[in-house]
Amino acid sequence: MTLRIGNASGFYGDRFDAMREMLTGGELDVLTGDYLAELTMLILGRDRLKDPGAGYARTFLRQLEECLGLAQERGVRIVANAGGLNPAGLADSVRQLAERLGLPVRVAHVEGDDLTSAHPGSLAAHAYLGGFGIAACLRAGADVVVTGRVTDAALVTGPAAAHFGWAPTDYDRLAGAVVAGHVLECGAQATGGNYAFFGERPVRDLLHPGFPLAEIHEDGSAVITKHPGTGGYVDIGTVTAQLLYETSGARYAGPDVTARLDSVRLSQDGPDRVRIDGVRGEAPPPTLKVGVNRLGGFRNEVTFVLTGLDIEAKAELVRAQLTDALAKSPPAEVKWELVRTDRGDADSEELASALLRLVVRDPDQAAVGRALSGAAIELALASYPGFHVLAPPGKGAPYGVFEATYVPQGDVPHVAVLPDGERLPVAPPPDTAVLDAVPEPPLPEALPPGPRTRAPLGRVAGARSGDKGGDANVGVWVRGDDAWRWLVHELTVERFRELIPEAADLPVTRHVLPHLRALNFVVEGILGAGVAAQHRFDPQAKALGEWLRSRHLDIPEALL
């Protein structure tokens, strides 16, 4: 007996038509949507400040207006975390929509994740719940289940546990569903989107990637695929890339189970079909992660364009002028970054230009607003030759700070609100285990010596990177045993720090996943206080892996 679970959203703002495409493109039992991220919770928190009835993903409602009838006709149940900060409010809105459309839809929701009152000064503080509240709603006959902050994988583990009758101690089965859920959660990233080796396929195959689905079996194994005839592609590489996204060590912890990523085995099961099996699970940790979002102050920026000769001297001049102009009341934090995009003897003005970026932060909006704007614009006729900016600085905008804390599982009131209004408490897991690091496994024999060529790492390795609060992860994988024997000995923590100088003074941990021929590096603190703080040029570390792939190493010629 197979349960077919599809995904129609990887983030708040993802392809609007994906819900309709998934409902009309082929057979499905459950359709999920992941609308939440650390930054989204901050955005929804600001929405709620303006309107206490807000706080959920309104896009989801507009999609349902088009698609709720389709789902009913096809017998597809919908599970989404679009409830954000207000799952009860979204559930009420879905009921009103169904009534207006004349559809007999049973709606349930999951709540209890909101711990904002326990974190004074926070805009939103929410625990990451597991899938058993969703399972309770589905077992009670819900057609639509909306949640607040659950783990992304819970959108899959909940329906699977309900369908197959899994118990909270069916760790291997639950872990298999967690892995499948992690592959589905970011939508088209599993079907060729954001993929390191995209150049191996014709552009026409990537114009409109289909969204992924998982065929889940009672033993927890799964096949990742997509609807027939849709764009993109599913192979071991695309699934490996997504498995490495925003993970850390061999133990991938969640509220229901800890999945052992070092046990995952992938195999091609036909065109656009990848089988996942062998996944082992362990008892979950005794605590739940809580994402706490606070307003950190105000932020402003201006980018100066430096063209032609004497780039460094021009940058030095404008730095000195701005520093002097702001000396009476300097912002609390000032960060300059010179990006040398210029080339000598360029045949276009753009190619002759570098960018000098100034970012300022302060608790007081005035310190980053009018003062900076005035100081920058007043230099228009009094600074370096060719002075201009990409855009004048504005008033300054609020920025957020993300922090992860942890609370005992039993301290969070996980509640399933069933279609008839009954409030059903969801018990914490019966067993837990403290999360310990997995020792590095025995390494394969190194590749024998031979001729080498200086070349980019990306000639032989793929990568996918992302953020978790202020930390970033970079997963690196190869597609052959010889390449793995080279990579696992070559790409040490020390070599990683050499290739990514930003990480030179930061804690870096390497995790080895031999079944995936993959290494996963976690770099602590590289993103400061998280994406909303806009600490660096690439605030979510989305392209950190691609930077790593562009760095040059001495690579065995046999691999090139």
Side-chain angles (χ1 to χ4, degrees), residues 22-87:
M22 290 301 290
L23 288 170
T24 59
E27 184 182 347
L28 277 184
D29 299 304
V30 178
L31 184 59
T32 67
D34 179 11
Y35 292 79
L36 301 184
E38 292 167 2
L39 180 60
T40 313
M41 299 299 279
L42 179 69
I43 293 169
L44 294 176
R46 291 175 60 186
D47 287 348
R48 191 170 59 175
L49 286 178
K50 302 172 187 173
D51 176 5
Y56 56 78
R58 297 183 184 276
T59 305
F60 175 72
L61 266 184
R62 298 204 306 272
Q63 289 173 304
L64 282 189
E65 187 155 11
E66 291 187 7
C67 298
L68 193 54
L70 279 173
Q72 285 275 289
E73 290 171 15
R74 288 161 171 76
V76 178
R77 300 164 104 176
I78 294 175
V79 179
N81 61 13
L85 279 57
N86 187 7

Side-chain angles (χ1 to χ4, degrees), residues 155-209:
L155 301 175
V156 172
T157 59
H163 183 78
F164 294 115
W166 293 341
T169 53
D170 285 329
Y171 296 135
D172 289 348
R173 293 176 172 87
L174 289 167
V178 163
V179 170
H182 183 61
V183 175
L184 295 189
E185 70 183 54
C186 286
Q189 278 195 173
T191 58
N194 300 352
Y195 182 52
F197 299 115
F198 74 97
E200 297 176 354
R201 298 281 181 139
V203 171
R204 65 177 179 273
D205 289 352
L206 299 172
L207 293 178
H208 196 77

Side-chain angles (χ1 to χ4, degrees), residues 361-444:
R361 295 184 180 86
D362 197 278
D364 181 7
Q365 187 173 18
V368 303
R370 189 178 300 110
L372 174 65
S373 180
I377 298 307
E378 286 171 8
L379 293 177
L381 304 179
S383 189
Y384 60 86
F387 179 100
H388 65 288
V389 297
L390 289 184
K395 297 184 298 183
Y399 71 88
V401 173
F402 177 86
E403 176 191 6
T405 63
Y406 296 85
V407 297
Q409 290 238 26
D411 287 0
V412 177
H414 190 174
V415 176
V417 184
L418 306 183
D420 63 0
E422 179 187 353
R423 299 179 61 83
L424 184 66
V426 179
D431 299 304
T432 61
V434 175
L435 204 64
D436 292 323
V438 176
E440 188 167 280
L443 303 183

Side-chain angles (χ1 to χ4, degrees), residues 40 92 101 116 185 265 340 355 361 447 454 459 488:
T40 313
D92 285 341
L101 296 175
T116 306
E185 70 183 54
R265 294 182 182 272
R340 294 301 300 265
L355 301 176
R361 295 184 180 86
L447 210 59
R454 195 78 176 167
R459 290 279 304 276
V488 76

Side-chain angles (χ1 to χ4, degrees), residues 516-531:
L516 301 177
R517 299 193 194 99
L519 303 173
N520 202 11
F521 294 88
V522 178
V523 187
E524 297 179 34
I526 192 170
L527 303 179
V531 56

